[in-house]
Amino acid sequence: LYTSSETQPRYIKMDSFRKVHQPECDFEDHVARDKSNMYEILRKGKSNLIDLINRQIFTKNGEEVGYLYRQVYNGREQCGLLFCIQDQDYVNGKVLPHEQTFEDKVLRLSEGADTLGIYNSFPLAFCDSDNFIDNAIEHMKTTKPLYFLKQNGVDHYLYAFDVKTSQQIVDAFKSFDHVYIADGHHRFECYSKLVAKLHNAKDRQLHDDYDHYPVLIYPKNHLKAYSYYRLVKNLDNINVDEVLKESSRYFKVQSINIPYKYQSDAYNKELLKLVKPYKKGRFLVYFKARRSWYKFDVLPYKPNNPIEGLDISYLSTNFLTKVLHIADLKSSDCVDYMPENKLDIASLEKQCNSDESTSIIVVCPRTSLDEVQSVADAKTCMPPKSTFVFPKPLIGLLFKDFESLE
């Protein structure tokens, strides 16, 4: 594993990993946008990588150890364990997904990693909580970190476990029946396909552990999942009365009267009270044509499987598809997705009012990690954009090579 010797994040500067991860920043816009230049751009990224290594901007750790990646955002702490897993664990179902992947994106990511000769970012997974792992995390937090970086309000700490503790953590992981993908389904799939390709390569100087790639694994009690809000757009002539009437077949619909000045802090807090702590089965729906919010509470029903039991599945099936007649949520241009941490609800309302194409906002309850596990255990997939993890780890702080970079 290579780690950065920089102590502060730098972007598009001479020593920035962005020139490896996004080498198009070295090219004029018209060149970077031309897909026929993809391999030339990727080769430039490889050249930039070798230059950073030769100048010891990145240094290689010769010991086989794991790392603790700790993040603090708005007073909330998130701790993950950065270890390499063998691809067979993914292929054989030790690592369980809950989303479908798209072949074109997998191919693009795989080609990038293949050209660079490194696993340049790490997917995120989570596992059941474990007393030994929790104690190891708490002890490591009392030691001096290898790196401390602050970016966009997030504090990033990286610590290295010693060899003995690393092996004990690996042994603890082996006791789990499964670990579950939290974020990075395409990254897992692209690395697995790349390993299969490298297995048949005859002319490359591969390391013995080329089939091991880094994964950031969080104990479940250290991770928090968030929701995406739905923005319904490009639907002409929505009749709100008809939508509300049809929706009442699936939801208890109530208008919301907020006795505060429009879009004031108090107004936003009152909206948040209605959904936080994210009551299961409750959605907030805003209709721009009425400049009004409504509570949509799911009517009692008996799900037949874990997917049907998800609030987000109920919304997709009964409101977006049956009421609004949006047929294919994966490819439709009628639904956009907004991470809940990007804008507060009042600001999102303001954006909707100024955007000609957006007509409805749906504020969704969060999907719990227990629900993610149930769906993955059932070998099924969630609707698009069911959940996301925040804050994200930094790219370029650490990477793993699978062949000689000299």
Side-chain angles (χ1 to χ4, degrees), residues 108-146:
R108 175 169 52 83
L109 292 173
S110 181
E111 288 173 341
D114 190 14
T115 303
L116 291 173
I118 62 172
Y119 299 116
N120 55 325
S121 66
F122 28 87
L124 313 183
F126 68 93
C127 62
D128 289 325
S129 303
D130 177 89
N131 286 336
F132 175 79
I133 290 176
D134 284 345
N135 290 335
I137 289 173
E138 291 305 313
H139 172 72
M140 185 56 65
K141 284 162 49 180
T142 66
T143 66
K144 183 179 179 180
L146 288 174

Side-chain angles (χ1 to χ4, degrees), residues 98 306-307 310 370-382:
H98 63 266
I307 283 289
L310 299 176
D370 287 337
E371 290 175 314
V372 172
Q373 282 182 283
S374 296
V375 169
D377 285 335
K379 306 296 192 294
T380 53
C381 293
M382 292 184 174

Side-chain angles (χ1 to χ4, degrees), residues 29-135:
D29 285 348
H30 71 281
V31 176
R33 287 195 297 266
D34 189 339
K35 292 183 178 180
S36 66
N37 296 322
M38 180 181 70
Y39 289 105
E40 177 188 355
I41 292 171
L42 289 174
R43 286 192 293 269
K44 177 61 175 174
K46 177 69 171 285
S47 174
N48 290 339
L49 172 65
I50 293 174
D51 177 62
L52 293 174
I53 293 172
N54 288 340
R55 293 191 290 115
Q56 296 188 327
I57 302 302
F58 288 92
T59 55
K60 192 166 189 176
N61 185 351
E63 292 186 310
E64 294 185 0
V65 299
Y67 296 84
L68 170 65
Y69 194 141
R70 176 182 169 224
Q71 296 163 291
V72 180
Y73 176 73
N74 279 351
R76 186 179 72 83
E77 183 179 73
Q78 183 169 284
C79 294
L81 302 166
L82 188 55
F83 281 74
C84 289
I85 71 164
Q86 190 170 15
D87 182 58
Q88 282 300 111
D89 286 333
Y90 176 72
V91 172
N92 293 337
K94 174 89 172 183
V95 180
L96 291 181
H98 63 266
E99 290 182 5
Q100 293 180 331
T101 56
F102 298 96
E103 188 62 29
D104 57 340
K105 184 175 181 179
V106 170
L107 179 61
R108 175 169 52 83
L109 292 173
S110 181
E111 288 173 341
D114 190 14
T115 303
L116 291 173
I118 62 172
Y119 299 116
N120 55 325
S121 66
F122 28 87
L124 313 183
F126 68 93
C127 62
D128 289 325
S129 303
D130 177 89
N131 286 336
F132 175 79
I133 290 176
D134 284 345
N135 290 335

Side-chain angles (χ1 to χ4, degrees), residues 181-247:
I181 299 178
D183 197 358
H185 286 75
H186 288 88
R187 187 67 61 178
F188 263 110
E189 187 68 14
C190 93
Y191 285 168
S192 186
K193 287 188 178 299
L194 177 55
V195 167
K197 177 182 177 180
L198 295 174
H199 182 70
N200 297 313
K202 305 297 183 183
D203 57 347
R204 301 180 69 162
Q205 296 178 303
L206 298 175
H207 299 319
D208 291 340
D209 64 345
Y210 73 89
D211 61 342
H212 290 65
Y213 39 82
V215 177
L216 186 57
I217 305 175
Y218 297 91
K220 189 165 63 173
N221 57 326
H222 284 269
L223 188 64
K224 191 173 185 179
Y226 294 87
S227 67
Y228 284 94
Y229 300 155
R230 270 57 177 162
L231 308 182
V232 179
K233 36 199 332 182
N234 302 324
L235 293 182
D236 297 329
N237 302 318
I238 289 180
N239 185 314
V240 177
D241 287 330
E242 290 183 4
V243 170
L244 292 174
K245 180 180 178 181
E246 185 68 14
S247 297

